[in-house]
Amino acid sequence: MAQFAGACRYVYNLALEQRRNWYRPGRKISFASQCREVTQLRAEVDWIRAAPADALHQAMRDLDAAYRSWWAGRSGPPRPRRKSSTDSFRFPDPENFRIKRTGRSSGKIKLPKIGWVSFRGWTDIPGALKNVTVVRRAGKWFASVQHEYILTQSEPPPSAVGIDMGVAVFATLSDGTSIAPANHGKKALRALRKAQRALARKKKGSANRRKAVLRIARIQQRVANARKDFLHKHSTAIAKSHGIVVMEDLKVRAMSASAKGTAEEPGSKVRQKSGLNRSILDQGWHMFRTMLAYKLKDRGGELILVPPQYTSQMCSECGHISSDNRKSQAAFTCTSCGHKANADCNAAINILRRADSALKPVEGHRIKRPDEAGTSRGEVA
């Protein structure tokens, strides 16, 4: 599997170099032309011919998709793949791989030119197989299987709820329910810093340095797995209980931008802002929103995104907006009508009311409905 991933990485970087350095007006370099050149390369190089042809062609498809995303403004320019950080390959034809269950939480998958490989973490696949992607993360191999199935129309719960996301409190619902933050990254920060200091003392290119890098990757992977488990549990509970969920359309990238500024105009309170950015990213707001979107859709519900302006400063009783309404982090006191409430719960009620029964734009902003999809993943033993 490492050899196949290395061959796919090599042809990907070679094709990227060709597009960067050999492009000329009038000379068309496309997915089809590069696939033909990969076929010629397989005839000349033995270790590339050892890798499956369709996996190499999928690397060309990934590069073509990266360029299309860049041209559409959805991402930055494609970058070369690095060893150990992007080790993956994909088989697009479901006729070339098979999956069997061997135990309560185990199974095996048959891959071209590899054979049967046992894995842990069996998940039922309720639909037709489309493709399988094998990827290595923190020294472990994972198989991500994409499948297609027909959604059965079900009647969603009639209730609607607004959610206010935060750092001190992960989420507060408009019905008064609050979810405490898990702060998985903060809990692992001490071990991560210790491992990073150990890495800094290792000689570059040594075996001990590779071990230190793997140790850091495993710590980060444990944090990511724990965070994902936390988000899955709470998003599933909300999707089962409510048919309509309203959230703020938060721009996490802008909220977590650095405050250090430039040499000419240095920023202020850089250290405090750095800690806040770390806490914001540790919550996983965007992943939580993505999970809610597809889980609600599977159950016939809907996730609605509304503009976040003034939701924390608006009174849920009289609608008065003032920065003086929220002088503390937890308490809300309206300076107009005297209404007192929990600040996060008051904001969640305002978020819910932003999406009215007609679902019209609020305050000149467009209400969004995200459309997301999910995949099933198993860990290869």
Side-chain angles (χ1 to χ4, degrees), residues 303-322:
L303 175 66
I304 302 173
L305 304 180
V306 299
Q309 288 79 7
Y310 307 112
T311 55
S312 62
Q313 300 178 8
M314 178 187 296
C315 177
S316 59
E317 290 292 325
C318 67
H320 175 65
I321 299 176
S322 174

Side-chain angles (χ1 to χ4, degrees), residues 361-374:
V362 181
E363 298 180 5
H365 297 272
R366 183 172 62 88
I367 294 177
K368 298 181 180 180
R369 297 178 179 83
D371 186 12
E372 305 288 348

Side-chain angles (χ1 to χ4, degrees), residues 196-228:
Q196 289 172 335
R197 287 195 297 268
L199 173 64
R201 295 191 294 266
K202 299 296 185 291
K203 183 179 179 180
K204 291 186 177 180
S206 65
N208 285 336
R209 182 179 176 84
R210 289 193 295 270
K211 294 177 183 177
V213 170
L214 183 59
R215 188 177 302 113
I216 293 175
R218 285 176 176 170
I219 294 174
Q220 293 174 333
Q221 188 66 42
R222 284 198 298 268
V223 171
N225 291 341
R227 181 185 297 116
K228 189 177 295 184

Side-chain angles (χ1 to χ4, degrees), residues 192-297:
L192 182 61
R193 285 174 173 171
K194 183 179 179 181
Q196 289 172 335
R197 287 195 297 268
L199 173 64
R201 295 191 294 266
K202 299 296 185 291
K203 183 179 179 180
K204 291 186 177 180
S206 65
N208 285 336
R209 182 179 176 84
R210 289 193 295 270
K211 294 177 183 177
V213 170
L214 183 59
R215 188 177 302 113
I216 293 175
R218 285 176 176 170
I219 294 174
Q220 293 174 333
Q221 188 66 42
R222 284 198 298 268
V223 171
N225 291 341
R227 181 185 297 116
K228 189 177 295 184
D229 179 73
F230 172 82
L231 298 177
H232 268 301
K233 288 178 179 177
H234 289 289
S235 60
T236 300
I238 294 174
K240 287 182 177 179
S241 304
H242 304 282
I244 295 179
V245 177
V246 187
M247 298 179 66
E248 294 174 303
D249 187 17
L250 298 174
K251 308 300 181 184
V252 180
R253 178 174 294 183
M255 295 174 64
S256 58
S258 175
K260 66 180 181 180
T262 61
E264 295 77 13
E265 298 182 1
S268 60
K269 298 183 178 180
V270 179
R271 193 176 184 87
Q272 294 89 330
K273 185 62 168 64
S274 177
L276 177 62
N277 292 349
R278 190 183 300 112
S279 298
I280 290 174
L281 297 176
D282 193 18
Q283 305 307 314
W285 291 344
H286 189 273
M287 185 181 295
F288 182 69
R289 192 174 80 181
T290 302
M291 292 178 180
L292 267 178
Y294 76 78
K295 290 178 182 179
L296 285 166
K297 185 177 180 180

Side-chain angles (χ1 to χ4, degrees), residues 53-338:
D54 51 355
L56 299 175
H57 292 163
Q58 285 298 302
M60 299 297 96
R61 188 174 296 279
D62 290 342
L63 178 62
D64 189 64
Y67 266 98
R68 292 182 184 276
S69 296
W70 179 33
W71 296 334
R74 294 189 297 268
S75 63
R79 295 180 296 180
R81 290 183 173 180
R82 299 176 58 187
K83 185 178 181 180
S84 300
S85 62
T86 51
D87 288 343
S88 65
F89 53 92
R90 184 185 309 110
F91 296 109
D93 189 359
E95 298 294 333
N96 292 339
F97 62 91
R98 296 170 58 191
I99 302 176
K100 287 184 178 181
R101 185 171 188 172
T102 58
R104 183 175 181 181
S105 60
S106 62
K108 60 181 182 178
I109 182 171
K110 187 176 183 180
L111 301 173
K113 292 193 174 185
I114 295 178
W116 289 101
V117 182
S118 300
F119 65 84
R120 298 190 300 269
W122 172 266
T123 301
D124 291 329
I125 302 176
L129 300 179
K130 303 300 290 184
N131 60 62
V132 59
T133 302
V134 181
V135 59
R136 177 162 59 178
R137 296 193 186 96
K140 295 182 179 180
W141 290 93
F142 297 84
S144 178
V145 180
Q146 187 182 55
H147 57 92
E148 184 180 33
Y149 64 99
I150 300 176
L151 287 175
T152 58
Q153 293 294 331
S154 59
E155 190 67 24
S159 61
V161 69
I163 301 179
D164 177 62
M165 308 300 297
V167 174
V169 178
F170 171 72
T172 303
L173 280 60
S174 56
D175 59 7
T177 305
S178 62
I179 302 174
N183 295 328
H184 299 288
K186 184 178 180 180
K187 294 176 182 177
L189 190 58
R190 183 177 180 180
L192 182 61
R193 285 174 173 171
K194 183 179 179 181
Q196 289 172 335
R197 287 195 297 268
L199 173 64
R201 295 191 294 266
K202 299 296 185 291
K203 183 179 179 180
K204 291 186 177 180
S206 65
N208 285 336
R209 182 179 176 84
R210 289 193 295 270
K211 294 177 183 177
V213 170
L214 183 59
R215 188 177 302 113
I216 293 175
R218 285 176 176 170
I219 294 174
Q220 293 174 333
Q221 188 66 42
R222 284 198 298 268
V223 171
N225 291 341
R227 181 185 297 116
K228 189 177 295 184
D229 179 73
F230 172 82
L231 298 177
H232 268 301
K233 288 178 179 177
H234 289 289
S235 60
T236 300
I238 294 174
K240 287 182 177 179
S241 304
H242 304 282
I244 295 179
V245 177
V246 187
M247 298 179 66
E248 294 174 303
D249 187 17
L250 298 174
K251 308 300 181 184
V252 180
R253 178 174 294 183
M255 295 174 64
S256 58
S258 175
K260 66 180 181 180
T262 61
E264 295 77 13
E265 298 182 1
S268 60
K269 298 183 178 180
V270 179
R271 193 176 184 87
Q272 294 89 330
K273 185 62 168 64
S274 177
L276 177 62
N277 292 349
R278 190 183 300 112
S279 298
I280 290 174
L281 297 176
D282 193 18
Q283 305 307 314
W285 291 344
H286 189 273
M287 185 181 295
F288 182 69
R289 192 174 80 181
T290 302
M291 292 178 180
L292 267 178
Y294 76 78
K295 290 178 182 179
L296 285 166
K297 185 177 180 180
D298 286 351
R299 294 169 174 81
E302 185 177 15
L303 175 66
I304 302 173
L305 304 180
V306 299
Q309 288 79 7
Y310 307 112
T311 55
S312 62
Q313 300 178 8
M314 178 187 296
C315 177
S316 59
E317 290 292 325
C318 67
H320 175 65
I321 299 176
S322 174
S323 58
D324 297 332
N325 289 346
R326 189 171 180 176
K327 292 185 177 181
S328 67
Q329 190 69 22
F332 182 92
T333 304
C334 180
T335 57
S336 177
C337 68

